[in-house]
Amino acid sequence: MPTVDQSVTLAGMTMKNPVVVASGTFGFGREYNQFYDLGELGGICAKGLTLHPREGNPAPRIAETPMGILNSVGLQNPGVDAFIAHELPFLRQFDTRVIANISGNTPEEYGIMCQKLSQAGVDMIEVNISCPNVKAGGMAYGTRPELAAEVTEVAKAHAGAVPVMVKLSPNVTDITVIAKAVAEAGADALSLINTIRGMRIDVNTRRPILKMNTGGLSGPAVLPVAVRMVWEVSQAVDLPILGMGGVAKGEDAAQLMLAGASAVAVGTALFADPYAPLKVRDGLTQLAARQGLSQVSQLTGGVLPWN
């Protein structure tokens, strides 16, 4: 392996390498621990948590596409208290950063979860704002800047010293407007992109393949969208970015870092290859070595746009 420093810093949090596993694709790590030491990862973003347990959406809730998958799992999870009691101690066995992902229906729910998780000792909290605000008629927090800012302010007020990273939705006209709103509200970092809404229909039954009709598209198909949005956001705000969306190899991760990301997350690729994050890490390191870099972090923001 080339002698390249793999360590990066994200919102003051140092990671041994820039590769994180994305929320919702790694569970709480128990299954993947059968394949390798989870301490080899830069960080683990645990499955999305809600204040109370959720059973998720009815099946079918996964549908393959030629370049990815659609999912409408519906945030199935045991609830934040169960995570703190049973899953966090397991994750803490490993030499890696633990990031908790949270979703709520009201700002108050986000605040309660941030307080619980900060006291429990997670390294970072990822705030999913692609959730419906029950007080605003089901409008997703991430689609309106004032709602995104409100959640960010509440999260920061209850997270103590734990950094708050806000996960942005790509299902907006201009993602930089939302990025600026959460930056002004005090976010420590941003993660993007979340899934893109999509739909598949069985032409024989004429019914949508997913029981909830639509779902979130992830996988290689969304990489160019993710690269574009990371680049736009990095130009608009001065916050560290965790880039994600379609990362399956080192070159994919390098694109996101060159666009402005400080670290990257691997998600859908895990379903086909549990070793994908380690391959991305090694591929990224080899690419940096070929380019004569002494640190992987030197890739961040290195894109040379034509104009």
Side-chain angles (χ1 to χ4, degrees), residues 140-151:
Y141 286 105
T143 60
R144 281 175 47 185
E146 65 274 17
L147 296 179
E150 181 184 11
V151 169

Side-chain angles (χ1 to χ4, degrees), residues 45-80:
C45 193
K47 182 168 177 52
L49 302 168
T50 50
L51 185 57
H52 305 292
R54 285 183 58 146
E55 294 184 0
N57 291 330
R61 52 190 191 178
I62 296 286
E64 291 190 56
T65 69
M67 289 286 285
I69 62 170
L70 285 170
N71 95 83
S72 64
V73 172
L75 298 173
Q76 178 181 336
N77 76 98
V80 67

Side-chain angles (χ1 to χ4, degrees), residues 1-6 17 40 277-290 296:
M1 181 61 62
T3 55
V4 175
D5 182 0
Q6 296 180 329
N17 66 67
E40 292 201 46
L278 305 186
K279 293 177 180 177
V280 169
R281 176 200 63 187
D282 295 345
L284 193 57
T285 303
Q286 291 162 3
L287 183 147
R290 289 197 302 272
V296 170

